[in-house]
Amino acid sequence: MTTGLIPGGPPPEPRPTGSQMPQQRCDQAGPGAPHVDDRSRSSVITARAAASFEPVGRSVATARSFVRDTLQGWGAADVVDDAVVLTSELVTNAVVHAGTHADVLCLHTDDGVRIEVADRYPEREVPLQGSVVNMGSPDREGGRGLQLCAALADRWGVEYSPTQKTVWFQLDLPERPVGTRTAGPSLPAELLPMADGRVRVAVVQIDRKGAISAWNEDAEELFGYPADQATGRPLTELAAWPHTPGTSTGIAEALQLSRWEGSYGIRGADGRVTPVYASHLRVRDTGGEPSTVCLLVRDHERAVLQTPLRLPASDSPPSVDGQSSDPFEVFIGSPAPDDLDGLLQRTVERARDMLDADAAFLLLATDDETELEVRASTGLPSARQRFARVPVEAGPGRYGSARMPAVHDDLTAVPGAVPLLSGTGMRSVVTVPLKVEGRLTGSLGVAAESPGRYSNEEALRLQFAADRIALAVESARLGELERLRRGSLSFLVEASDLLAGTLDRDQTLALMAQMTIPSLATWCAVYTIADQASEPYLSYVLHEDEELIDGIKSLLSKIPPPDPVPTPGARVWTVPADVAHQAALRTSMRSLGLTGGPAHQIASGIGPTLATASAVGGETVVLPLVARNRVIGMLTLGKPTDEHFRQEILELAEDLSRRAALALDNARLYSERTAISQSLQRSLLPPGLPQIEGVEVEVIYRAAGEGNEVGGDFYDLFPISDGAYGFAIGDVCGTGPNAAAVTGLARHALRLLAREGLSGPAVLERLNSAILDEGARSRFLTLLYGEMRPQEDGSAELKVVCAGHPLPLRLRQDGTVEPAAEPQPLLGVIEDLELYEQTVTLDPGDVLLCVTDGVTERREGARMLGDDGLADVLTTCTGLTAGAVAARIMRAVERFASDAPSDDMAILAMRVPGLHKD
């Protein structure tokens, strides 16, 4: 709906607040009139975008993309997922259920985002005063859009006008002052962070291709590269490691984000690595090209770019010298509570510093508290361990100390007590639980390379810090889960829309893989099972790096496929990683001139490169594709070396696999039904036209309807006896399979009866009886049947019976056109028929044209080609061959109207060319 608002103009109409039922505009004033003007009049529109969508199914996906792109362009990423879900439901109501155009208007105000979806179906129920509006059941097809509005939107409502209905909703943006991320009170001078006497801030600008386009003097001083040497080089060439410690975001990915902060290293001109803390901001230059401005300081001076740390509440007693008694408490509450990764990473860093440790780690518990998932670490190979999961209960390889504080003086004495530290060189460790209302939510630990470093005193200090941070971590975790849930809902809506849009098996396989890469996994393979007796077959492989697809496909084709277990859920499959690792090791040893290798012999021909081994070296999971209580395939998802799947991602992949399995099975069933239908239809057509000496014959056949090869029209030409041929062209009432069934009966009966030596009328009378014997399945039939016998003088004698069919036309050499038979009763209506045959002689050069009514009844508006129009076209065919005559007739029929034919068409042309003289 167009509101007429412009940037800087008055605010939109006031709307109902909260989750109230939508109120309708009321023009009446006075006592009892509803008051809905509860919005602030200070809101102004700062941006707007509008689009209109046609009443077709694909418009829903297009509308979702429009809203997503618009809101992301406005920087409203916090509400994108909710807006996409609501828009999807409302546009579906308009274009699918109401069957009208949908007009979508996006408005950006200073306090939120407002979206209006208008359809052109203005009908509404008149509400009774005091009646309770019923939203309907969630199981009903209608009304879900309003229910979602009530659940997700901050404000929403419905408006009616004489021409349209508008449903609007508003999503408020977080109140965050411009330029402010976090803020805190003033600190005493002694608590301010230390910095060098001359703080240098490197300002580096990166263009859209990731290359350095600007390099200031501080950058030259910090890293030793003159501006002319640094400009033009990709920033990733100077990065000392590809990932920020404790996260899975690489430098290249970070440069594409609108805003990012984190730590990494820059390799200077002298080869030394300078740890830096960076703040990235995505901007556009005057030409509209995107680029990234990077502010970099030495890592120990990160306070220059970060908000000053906030003091804890008054329950934190200061020490004698005025400083906080516990450095960790200065950190408590500093990160934004909704920034879970930043909160966790800062927690482990401060925990390590607080206890002067070599490493620290933090794990979060699953909802059922049976497993812990690695979410942040420092001093450990974090990329390898991130999202790895370990059980909670006691036992070998289990995290037995998760539910209470624990101190291990020497891990070599109790191997496996802390599985995360196996093989890291850490000897002593202290771990404490994170609990909220008595429930285990995570575990925090610090470790040192020397034994006996920690006592119960350090455990109590760490537990105190963990108790202070547990609630903030749980709140941020729940916020992340909610965002993931809403993002998953949007993802599944789009996936279902795409999968439902095709019945092609190969396209369904491609969509399955493309939807998982890179959203859910790094690489994907789809196995299909034709039937219960067949082995799984590798049908599709995809990797986010196309150069690695062939290597993975070669590897998977040489190893046994996973077992088709119908048990739902993801299960780990270690075979690809193990085989790739062993094969790569053998290849490396051969390249070094060494002999021997692993005792396990690998099938020859795999030969994966180190890149392939790295690509499949992480966690690989298999999800069964189950449809209609049968396993029809497996969806295999994988990560690169030492990476693991998050539990939320596996749950989303399981939901996707169920939808994909049903779509794949539907495509299979459709393909099978199509193949059977086409095979049956082809059996109704003549196997081929015989070659008749002295007569040219051409047939053109077009069945109406998509995927139909045979309809209600049919033709045939077959030998009866020496020198005699039968020909027929007919039209069964109706189109489609029922008409095709009578077509098969008529064509085969004609051949059998004609070869018994019966005359034309006798053949048709018996065929009429056979059609009537079909009872309720019988259909009336128009049929032109004849027998043709070429003569020695070059002519051809025809005996013709025209039972209710369009009359055959005879074209003479002088261009005259005349009917070649008289009309008689059609078949399948009455039992006693009195038919007779007529004799027609085709002289050399004559043409006999036989058509079905799909040709003569071709329409363009109120005009119809008709018998006269067909005769006019035939008069222009003098001297043409039979093939040219049929082609010209069909071309004239197609040009007569622009629409696709709605009826079957058959054209049979026979021409007597005459005797050839030497």
PDB file of all heavy atoms in Angstrom, residues 684-690 697 699 714-719 726-730 746-751 755 783-786 908 910:
ATOM      1  N   LEU A 684       0.599 -47.043 -28.832  1.00  0.00           N
ATOM      2  CA  LEU A 684      -0.635 -46.740 -29.550  1.00  0.00           C
ATOM      3  C   LEU A 684      -0.384 -46.153 -30.932  1.00  0.00           C
ATOM      4  O   LEU A 684      -1.301 -46.052 -31.737  1.00  0.00           O
ATOM      5  CB  LEU A 684      -1.487 -45.765 -28.732  1.00  0.00           C
ATOM      6  CG  LEU A 684      -1.919 -46.248 -27.336  1.00  0.00           C
ATOM      7  CD1 LEU A 684      -2.708 -45.170 -26.639  1.00  0.00           C
ATOM      8  CD2 LEU A 684      -2.711 -47.538 -27.429  1.00  0.00           C
ATOM      9  N   LEU A 685       0.838 -45.746 -31.209  1.00  0.00           N
ATOM     10  CA  LEU A 685       1.166 -45.195 -32.524  1.00  0.00           C
ATOM     11  C   LEU A 685       1.620 -46.310 -33.464  1.00  0.00           C
ATOM     12  O   LEU A 685       2.177 -47.317 -33.014  1.00  0.00           O
ATOM     13  CB  LEU A 685       2.273 -44.153 -32.388  1.00  0.00           C
ATOM     14  CG  LEU A 685       1.917 -42.880 -31.611  1.00  0.00           C
ATOM     15  CD1 LEU A 685       3.144 -42.012 -31.428  1.00  0.00           C
ATOM     16  CD2 LEU A 685       0.812 -42.113 -32.316  1.00  0.00           C
ATOM     17  N   PRO A 686       1.408 -46.147 -34.751  1.00  0.00           N
ATOM     18  CA  PRO A 686       1.888 -47.165 -35.691  1.00  0.00           C
ATOM     19  C   PRO A 686       3.399 -47.316 -35.596  1.00  0.00           C
ATOM     20  O   PRO A 686       4.119 -46.340 -35.363  1.00  0.00           O
ATOM     21  CB  PRO A 686       1.461 -46.597 -37.051  1.00  0.00           C
ATOM     22  CG  PRO A 686       0.361 -45.640 -36.753  1.00  0.00           C
ATOM     23  CD  PRO A 686       0.677 -45.068 -35.418  1.00  0.00           C
ATOM     24  N   PRO A 687       3.895 -48.533 -35.740  1.00  0.00           N
ATOM     25  CA  PRO A 687       5.345 -48.720 -35.632  1.00  0.00           C
ATOM     26  C   PRO A 687       6.118 -48.005 -36.729  1.00  0.00           C
ATOM     27  O   PRO A 687       7.286 -47.676 -36.558  1.00  0.00           O
ATOM     28  CB  PRO A 687       5.508 -50.242 -35.730  1.00  0.00           C
ATOM     29  CG  PRO A 687       4.265 -50.720 -36.429  1.00  0.00           C
ATOM     30  CD  PRO A 687       3.182 -49.799 -35.996  1.00  0.00           C
ATOM     31  N   GLY A 688       5.492 -47.776 -37.870  1.00  0.00           N
ATOM     32  CA  GLY A 688       6.148 -47.094 -38.977  1.00  0.00           C
ATOM     33  C   GLY A 688       5.256 -47.117 -40.205  1.00  0.00           C
ATOM     34  O   GLY A 688       4.360 -47.965 -40.326  1.00  0.00           O
ATOM     35  N   LEU A 689       5.479 -46.205 -41.127  1.00  0.00           N
ATOM     36  CA  LEU A 689       4.666 -46.147 -42.339  1.00  0.00           C
ATOM     37  C   LEU A 689       5.295 -47.012 -43.428  1.00  0.00           C
ATOM     38  O   LEU A 689       6.511 -46.933 -43.666  1.00  0.00           O
ATOM     39  CB  LEU A 689       4.546 -44.696 -42.830  1.00  0.00           C
ATOM     40  CG  LEU A 689       3.849 -43.721 -41.870  1.00  0.00           C
ATOM     41  CD1 LEU A 689       3.849 -42.320 -42.467  1.00  0.00           C
ATOM     42  CD2 LEU A 689       2.427 -44.169 -41.587  1.00  0.00           C
ATOM     43  N   PRO A 690       4.492 -47.836 -44.090  1.00  0.00           N
ATOM     44  CA  PRO A 690       5.060 -48.671 -45.161  1.00  0.00           C
ATOM     45  C   PRO A 690       5.382 -47.829 -46.398  1.00  0.00           C
ATOM     46  O   PRO A 690       4.798 -46.768 -46.623  1.00  0.00           O
ATOM     47  CB  PRO A 690       3.933 -49.673 -45.447  1.00  0.00           C
ATOM     48  CG  PRO A 690       2.684 -48.946 -45.062  1.00  0.00           C
ATOM     49  CD  PRO A 690       3.050 -48.086 -43.895  1.00  0.00           C
ATOM     50  N   VAL A 697       3.375 -40.630 -49.189  1.00  0.00           N
ATOM     51  CA  VAL A 697       2.566 -40.532 -47.976  1.00  0.00           C
ATOM     52  C   VAL A 697       3.339 -39.722 -46.932  1.00  0.00           C
ATOM     53  O   VAL A 697       4.536 -39.928 -46.744  1.00  0.00           O
ATOM     54  CB  VAL A 697       2.227 -41.921 -47.406  1.00  0.00           C
ATOM     55  CG1 VAL A 697       1.395 -41.780 -46.129  1.00  0.00           C
ATOM     56  CG2 VAL A 697       1.479 -42.765 -48.435  1.00  0.00           C
ATOM     57  N   VAL A 699       2.675 -37.984 -42.816  1.00  0.00           N
ATOM     58  CA  VAL A 699       1.811 -37.836 -41.647  1.00  0.00           C
ATOM     59  C   VAL A 699       2.449 -36.853 -40.676  1.00  0.00           C
ATOM     60  O   VAL A 699       3.660 -36.904 -40.427  1.00  0.00           O
ATOM     61  CB  VAL A 699       1.578 -39.190 -40.939  1.00  0.00           C
ATOM     62  CG1 VAL A 699       0.814 -38.972 -39.633  1.00  0.00           C
ATOM     63  CG2 VAL A 699       0.809 -40.141 -41.836  1.00  0.00           C
ATOM     64  N   PHE A 714      -5.935 -40.167 -33.983  1.00  0.00           N
ATOM     65  CA  PHE A 714      -5.008 -41.236 -34.373  1.00  0.00           C
ATOM     66  C   PHE A 714      -5.018 -41.383 -35.888  1.00  0.00           C
ATOM     67  O   PHE A 714      -5.883 -40.860 -36.601  1.00  0.00           O
ATOM     68  CB  PHE A 714      -5.363 -42.559 -33.696  1.00  0.00           C
ATOM     69  CG  PHE A 714      -6.670 -43.164 -34.171  1.00  0.00           C
ATOM     70  CD1 PHE A 714      -6.693 -44.124 -35.179  1.00  0.00           C
ATOM     71  CD2 PHE A 714      -7.879 -42.771 -33.609  1.00  0.00           C
ATOM     72  CE1 PHE A 714      -7.886 -44.675 -35.612  1.00  0.00           C
ATOM     73  CE2 PHE A 714      -9.065 -43.322 -34.032  1.00  0.00           C
ATOM     74  CZ  PHE A 714      -9.077 -44.275 -35.045  1.00  0.00           C
ATOM     75  N   TYR A 715      -4.039 -42.102 -36.373  1.00  0.00           N
ATOM     76  CA  TYR A 715      -3.922 -42.393 -37.804  1.00  0.00           C
ATOM     77  C   TYR A 715      -3.304 -43.775 -37.940  1.00  0.00           C
ATOM     78  O   TYR A 715      -2.719 -44.328 -37.002  1.00  0.00           O
ATOM     79  CB  TYR A 715      -3.042 -41.346 -38.499  1.00  0.00           C
ATOM     80  CG  TYR A 715      -1.599 -41.429 -38.078  1.00  0.00           C
ATOM     81  CD1 TYR A 715      -0.684 -42.215 -38.787  1.00  0.00           C
ATOM     82  CD2 TYR A 715      -1.145 -40.748 -36.953  1.00  0.00           C
ATOM     83  CE1 TYR A 715       0.642 -42.308 -38.368  1.00  0.00           C
ATOM     84  CE2 TYR A 715       0.164 -40.840 -36.535  1.00  0.00           C
ATOM     85  CZ  TYR A 715       1.055 -41.617 -37.241  1.00  0.00           C
ATOM     86  OH  TYR A 715       2.355 -41.727 -36.845  1.00  0.00           O
ATOM     87  N   ASP A 716      -3.413 -44.351 -39.150  1.00  0.00           N
ATOM     88  CA  ASP A 716      -2.759 -45.629 -39.418  1.00  0.00           C
ATOM     89  C   ASP A 716      -2.680 -45.830 -40.932  1.00  0.00           C
ATOM     90  O   ASP A 716      -3.506 -45.306 -41.694  1.00  0.00           O
ATOM     91  CB  ASP A 716      -3.532 -46.779 -38.775  1.00  0.00           C
ATOM     92  CG  ASP A 716      -2.645 -48.003 -38.551  1.00  0.00           C
ATOM     93  OD1 ASP A 716      -1.465 -47.950 -38.966  1.00  0.00           O
ATOM     94  OD2 ASP A 716      -3.121 -48.984 -37.960  1.00  0.00           O
ATOM     95  N   LEU A 717      -1.686 -46.569 -41.343  1.00  0.00           N
ATOM     96  CA  LEU A 717      -1.498 -46.951 -42.745  1.00  0.00           C
ATOM     97  C   LEU A 717      -0.804 -48.303 -42.720  1.00  0.00           C
ATOM     98  O   LEU A 717       0.300 -48.417 -42.171  1.00  0.00           O
ATOM     99  CB  LEU A 717      -0.651 -45.903 -43.486  1.00  0.00           C
ATOM    100  CG  LEU A 717      -0.385 -46.192 -44.973  1.00  0.00           C
ATOM    101  CD1 LEU A 717      -1.689 -46.177 -45.765  1.00  0.00           C
ATOM    102  CD2 LEU A 717       0.592 -45.175 -45.551  1.00  0.00           C
ATOM    103  N   PHE A 718      -1.434 -49.317 -43.314  1.00  0.00           N
ATOM    104  CA  PHE A 718      -0.921 -50.680 -43.174  1.00  0.00           C
ATOM    105  C   PHE A 718      -1.283 -51.494 -44.414  1.00  0.00           C
ATOM    106  O   PHE A 718      -2.285 -51.230 -45.086  1.00  0.00           O
ATOM    107  CB  PHE A 718      -1.515 -51.333 -41.916  1.00  0.00           C
ATOM    108  CG  PHE A 718      -3.014 -51.312 -41.864  1.00  0.00           C
ATOM    109  CD1 PHE A 718      -3.760 -52.367 -42.383  1.00  0.00           C
ATOM    110  CD2 PHE A 718      -3.699 -50.236 -41.311  1.00  0.00           C
ATOM    111  CE1 PHE A 718      -5.139 -52.349 -42.345  1.00  0.00           C
ATOM    112  CE2 PHE A 718      -5.082 -50.207 -41.273  1.00  0.00           C
ATOM    113  CZ  PHE A 718      -5.812 -51.262 -41.791  1.00  0.00           C
ATOM    114  N   PRO A 719      -0.482 -52.513 -44.728  1.00  0.00           N
ATOM    115  CA  PRO A 719      -0.808 -53.385 -45.872  1.00  0.00           C
ATOM    116  C   PRO A 719      -1.921 -54.360 -45.502  1.00  0.00           C
ATOM    117  O   PRO A 719      -1.960 -54.884 -44.387  1.00  0.00           O
ATOM    118  CB  PRO A 719       0.512 -54.111 -46.138  1.00  0.00           C
ATOM    119  CG  PRO A 719       1.235 -54.084 -44.827  1.00  0.00           C
ATOM    120  CD  PRO A 719       0.835 -52.809 -44.154  1.00  0.00           C
ATOM    121  N   GLY A 726      -4.558 -50.353 -46.315  1.00  0.00           N
ATOM    122  CA  GLY A 726      -5.612 -49.692 -45.566  1.00  0.00           C
ATOM    123  C   GLY A 726      -5.072 -48.423 -44.923  1.00  0.00           C
ATOM    124  O   GLY A 726      -3.929 -48.391 -44.459  1.00  0.00           O
ATOM    125  N   PHE A 727      -5.903 -47.407 -44.894  1.00  0.00           N
ATOM    126  CA  PHE A 727      -5.515 -46.177 -44.203  1.00  0.00           C
ATOM    127  C   PHE A 727      -6.706 -45.680 -43.391  1.00  0.00           C
ATOM    128  O   PHE A 727      -7.859 -45.931 -43.740  1.00  0.00           O
ATOM    129  CB  PHE A 727      -5.030 -45.107 -45.195  1.00  0.00           C
ATOM    130  CG  PHE A 727      -6.088 -44.585 -46.125  1.00  0.00           C
ATOM    131  CD1 PHE A 727      -6.862 -43.470 -45.791  1.00  0.00           C
ATOM    132  CD2 PHE A 727      -6.338 -45.209 -47.357  1.00  0.00           C
ATOM    133  CE1 PHE A 727      -7.828 -42.996 -46.653  1.00  0.00           C
ATOM    134  CE2 PHE A 727      -7.309 -44.739 -48.203  1.00  0.00           C
ATOM    135  CZ  PHE A 727      -8.060 -43.626 -47.854  1.00  0.00           C
ATOM    136  N   ALA A 728      -6.388 -44.984 -42.287  1.00  0.00           N
ATOM    137  CA  ALA A 728      -7.438 -44.494 -41.405  1.00  0.00           C
ATOM    138  C   ALA A 728      -6.939 -43.252 -40.685  1.00  0.00           C
ATOM    139  O   ALA A 728      -5.750 -43.113 -40.388  1.00  0.00           O
ATOM    140  CB  ALA A 728      -7.848 -45.563 -40.394  1.00  0.00           C
ATOM    141  N   ILE A 729      -7.882 -42.379 -40.415  1.00  0.00           N
ATOM    142  CA  ILE A 729      -7.611 -41.227 -39.563  1.00  0.00           C
ATOM    143  C   ILE A 729      -8.881 -40.970 -38.778  1.00  0.00           C
ATOM    144  O   ILE A 729      -9.981 -40.936 -39.334  1.00  0.00           O
ATOM    145  CB  ILE A 729      -7.179 -39.990 -40.382  1.00  0.00           C
ATOM    146  CG1 ILE A 729      -6.819 -38.839 -39.427  1.00  0.00           C
ATOM    147  CG2 ILE A 729      -8.226 -39.574 -41.380  1.00  0.00           C
ATOM    148  CD1 ILE A 729      -6.135 -37.682 -40.145  1.00  0.00           C
ATOM    149  N   GLY A 730      -8.746 -40.866 -37.420  1.00  0.00           N
ATOM    150  CA  GLY A 730      -9.939 -40.763 -36.594  1.00  0.00           C
ATOM    151  C   GLY A 730      -9.758 -39.825 -35.426  1.00  0.00           C
ATOM    152  O   GLY A 730      -8.647 -39.356 -35.135  1.00  0.00           O
ATOM    153  N   ALA A 746      -9.469 -48.844 -31.341  1.00  0.00           N
ATOM    154  CA  ALA A 746      -9.863 -48.616 -32.732  1.00  0.00           C
ATOM    155  C   ALA A 746      -8.746 -48.985 -33.703  1.00  0.00           C
ATOM    156  O   ALA A 746      -8.984 -49.663 -34.708  1.00  0.00           O
ATOM    157  CB  ALA A 746     -10.265 -47.150 -32.912  1.00  0.00           C
ATOM    158  N   ARG A 747      -7.509 -48.565 -33.401  1.00  0.00           N
ATOM    159  CA  ARG A 747      -6.424 -48.800 -34.366  1.00  0.00           C
ATOM    160  C   ARG A 747      -6.128 -50.296 -34.526  1.00  0.00           C
ATOM    161  O   ARG A 747      -5.957 -50.790 -35.639  1.00  0.00           O
ATOM    162  CB  ARG A 747      -5.171 -48.056 -33.928  1.00  0.00           C
ATOM    163  CG  ARG A 747      -4.115 -47.955 -35.026  1.00  0.00           C
ATOM    164  CD  ARG A 747      -2.894 -47.196 -34.576  1.00  0.00           C
ATOM    165  NE  ARG A 747      -2.131 -47.929 -33.568  1.00  0.00           N
ATOM    166  CZ  ARG A 747      -1.288 -48.923 -33.855  1.00  0.00           C
ATOM    167  NH1 ARG A 747      -1.133 -49.315 -35.108  1.00  0.00           N
ATOM    168  NH2 ARG A 747      -0.622 -49.533 -32.911  1.00  0.00           N
ATOM    169  N   HIS A 748      -6.069 -51.022 -33.415  1.00  0.00           N
ATOM    170  CA  HIS A 748      -5.758 -52.444 -33.516  1.00  0.00           C
ATOM    171  C   HIS A 748      -6.924 -53.232 -34.110  1.00  0.00           C
ATOM    172  O   HIS A 748      -6.704 -54.199 -34.866  1.00  0.00           O
ATOM    173  CB  HIS A 748      -5.392 -52.992 -32.138  1.00  0.00           C
ATOM    174  CG  HIS A 748      -4.079 -52.489 -31.626  1.00  0.00           C
ATOM    175  ND1 HIS A 748      -3.972 -51.402 -30.803  1.00  0.00           N
ATOM    176  CD2 HIS A 748      -2.804 -52.916 -31.849  1.00  0.00           C
ATOM    177  CE1 HIS A 748      -2.697 -51.176 -30.515  1.00  0.00           C
ATOM    178  NE2 HIS A 748      -1.968 -52.081 -31.142  1.00  0.00           N
ATOM    179  N   ALA A 749      -8.164 -52.835 -33.785  1.00  0.00           N
ATOM    180  CA  ALA A 749      -9.318 -53.538 -34.356  1.00  0.00           C
ATOM    181  C   ALA A 749      -9.382 -53.342 -35.866  1.00  0.00           C
ATOM    182  O   ALA A 749      -9.727 -54.270 -36.612  1.00  0.00           O
ATOM    183  CB  ALA A 749     -10.602 -53.049 -33.693  1.00  0.00           C
ATOM    184  N   LEU A 750      -9.061 -52.133 -36.337  1.00  0.00           N
ATOM    185  CA  LEU A 750      -9.077 -51.886 -37.789  1.00  0.00           C
ATOM    186  C   LEU A 750      -8.130 -52.829 -38.517  1.00  0.00           C
ATOM    187  O   LEU A 750      -8.476 -53.406 -39.561  1.00  0.00           O
ATOM    188  CB  LEU A 750      -8.699 -50.432 -38.074  1.00  0.00           C
ATOM    189  CG  LEU A 750      -9.780 -49.372 -37.856  1.00  0.00           C
ATOM    190  CD1 LEU A 750      -9.211 -47.983 -38.076  1.00  0.00           C
ATOM    191  CD2 LEU A 750     -10.953 -49.608 -38.803  1.00  0.00           C
ATOM    192  N   ARG A 751      -6.938 -52.987 -38.012  1.00  0.00           N
ATOM    193  CA  ARG A 751      -5.967 -53.857 -38.684  1.00  0.00           C
ATOM    194  C   ARG A 751      -6.463 -55.302 -38.734  1.00  0.00           C
ATOM    195  O   ARG A 751      -6.368 -55.970 -39.782  1.00  0.00           O
ATOM    196  CB  ARG A 751      -4.626 -53.784 -37.955  1.00  0.00           C
ATOM    197  CG  ARG A 751      -3.887 -52.476 -38.162  1.00  0.00           C
ATOM    198  CD  ARG A 751      -2.429 -52.607 -37.787  1.00  0.00           C
ATOM    199  NE  ARG A 751      -1.652 -51.426 -38.127  1.00  0.00           N
ATOM    200  CZ  ARG A 751      -0.354 -51.454 -38.427  1.00  0.00           C
ATOM    201  NH1 ARG A 751       0.298 -52.595 -38.418  1.00  0.00           N
ATOM    202  NH2 ARG A 751       0.281 -50.334 -38.741  1.00  0.00           N
ATOM    203  N   ARG A 755      -7.711 -57.157 -42.358  1.00  0.00           N
ATOM    204  CA  ARG A 755      -6.927 -58.283 -42.882  1.00  0.00           C
ATOM    205  C   ARG A 755      -7.735 -59.570 -42.957  1.00  0.00           C
ATOM    206  O   ARG A 755      -7.258 -60.586 -43.471  1.00  0.00           O
ATOM    207  CB  ARG A 755      -5.690 -58.481 -42.027  1.00  0.00           C
ATOM    208  CG  ARG A 755      -4.656 -57.383 -42.263  1.00  0.00           C
ATOM    209  CD  ARG A 755      -3.531 -57.417 -41.280  1.00  0.00           C
ATOM    210  NE  ARG A 755      -2.539 -56.377 -41.584  1.00  0.00           N
ATOM    211  CZ  ARG A 755      -1.516 -56.062 -40.803  1.00  0.00           C
ATOM    212  NH1 ARG A 755      -1.345 -56.699 -39.637  1.00  0.00           N
ATOM    213  NH2 ARG A 755      -0.679 -55.131 -41.157  1.00  0.00           N
ATOM    214  N   LEU A 783     -14.439 -41.354 -37.861  1.00  0.00           N
ATOM    215  CA  LEU A 783     -13.396 -42.153 -38.507  1.00  0.00           C
ATOM    216  C   LEU A 783     -13.514 -42.054 -40.018  1.00  0.00           C
ATOM    217  O   LEU A 783     -14.612 -42.163 -40.578  1.00  0.00           O
ATOM    218  CB  LEU A 783     -13.517 -43.621 -38.059  1.00  0.00           C
ATOM    219  CG  LEU A 783     -12.510 -44.597 -38.661  1.00  0.00           C
ATOM    220  CD1 LEU A 783     -11.090 -44.244 -38.216  1.00  0.00           C
ATOM    221  CD2 LEU A 783     -12.847 -46.031 -38.245  1.00  0.00           C
ATOM    222  N   LEU A 784     -12.388 -41.819 -40.634  1.00  0.00           N
ATOM    223  CA  LEU A 784     -12.274 -41.912 -42.093  1.00  0.00           C
ATOM    224  C   LEU A 784     -11.428 -43.141 -42.379  1.00  0.00           C
ATOM    225  O   LEU A 784     -10.246 -43.200 -41.986  1.00  0.00           O
ATOM    226  CB  LEU A 784     -11.620 -40.661 -42.674  1.00  0.00           C
ATOM    227  CG  LEU A 784     -11.270 -40.728 -44.167  1.00  0.00           C
ATOM    228  CD1 LEU A 784     -12.532 -40.822 -45.013  1.00  0.00           C
ATOM    229  CD2 LEU A 784     -10.444 -39.524 -44.583  1.00  0.00           C
ATOM    230  N   TYR A 785     -12.047 -44.143 -43.037  1.00  0.00           N
ATOM    231  CA  TYR A 785     -11.322 -45.376 -43.338  1.00  0.00           C
ATOM    232  C   TYR A 785     -11.388 -45.616 -44.835  1.00  0.00           C
ATOM    233  O   TYR A 785     -12.417 -45.378 -45.481  1.00  0.00           O
ATOM    234  CB  TYR A 785     -11.931 -46.561 -42.591  1.00  0.00           C
ATOM    235  CG  TYR A 785     -11.324 -47.889 -43.015  1.00  0.00           C
ATOM    236  CD1 TYR A 785     -10.045 -48.247 -42.607  1.00  0.00           C
ATOM    237  CD2 TYR A 785     -12.027 -48.759 -43.850  1.00  0.00           C
ATOM    238  CE1 TYR A 785      -9.488 -49.461 -43.001  1.00  0.00           C
ATOM    239  CE2 TYR A 785     -11.485 -49.966 -44.246  1.00  0.00           C
ATOM    240  CZ  TYR A 785     -10.214 -50.314 -43.822  1.00  0.00           C
ATOM    241  OH  TYR A 785      -9.655 -51.495 -44.233  1.00  0.00           O
ATOM    242  N   GLY A 786     -10.301 -46.108 -45.378  1.00  0.00           N
ATOM    243  CA  GLY A 786     -10.279 -46.396 -46.804  1.00  0.00           C
ATOM    244  C   GLY A 786      -9.256 -47.457 -47.163  1.00  0.00           C
ATOM    245  O   GLY A 786      -8.366 -47.781 -46.372  1.00  0.00           O
ATOM    246  N   LEU A 908      -2.910 -36.335 -42.644  1.00  0.00           N
ATOM    247  CA  LEU A 908      -2.468 -37.428 -43.511  1.00  0.00           C
ATOM    248  C   LEU A 908      -2.589 -36.951 -44.951  1.00  0.00           C
ATOM    249  O   LEU A 908      -3.686 -36.632 -45.416  1.00  0.00           O
ATOM    250  CB  LEU A 908      -3.320 -38.683 -43.284  1.00  0.00           C
ATOM    251  CG  LEU A 908      -3.112 -39.846 -44.254  1.00  0.00           C
ATOM    252  CD1 LEU A 908      -1.678 -40.375 -44.173  1.00  0.00           C
ATOM    253  CD2 LEU A 908      -4.105 -40.974 -43.967  1.00  0.00           C
ATOM    254  N   MET A 910      -1.658 -37.841 -49.023  1.00  0.00           N
ATOM    255  CA  MET A 910      -1.247 -38.865 -49.989  1.00  0.00           C
ATOM    256  C   MET A 910      -1.264 -38.252 -51.384  1.00  0.00           C
ATOM    257  O   MET A 910      -2.242 -37.596 -51.767  1.00  0.00           O
ATOM    258  CB  MET A 910      -2.170 -40.085 -49.912  1.00  0.00           C
ATOM    259  CG  MET A 910      -2.105 -40.822 -48.579  1.00  0.00           C
ATOM    260  SD  MET A 910      -3.179 -42.272 -48.503  1.00  0.00           S
ATOM    261  CE  MET A 910      -4.784 -41.488 -48.459  1.00  0.00           C
TER     262      MET A 910
END
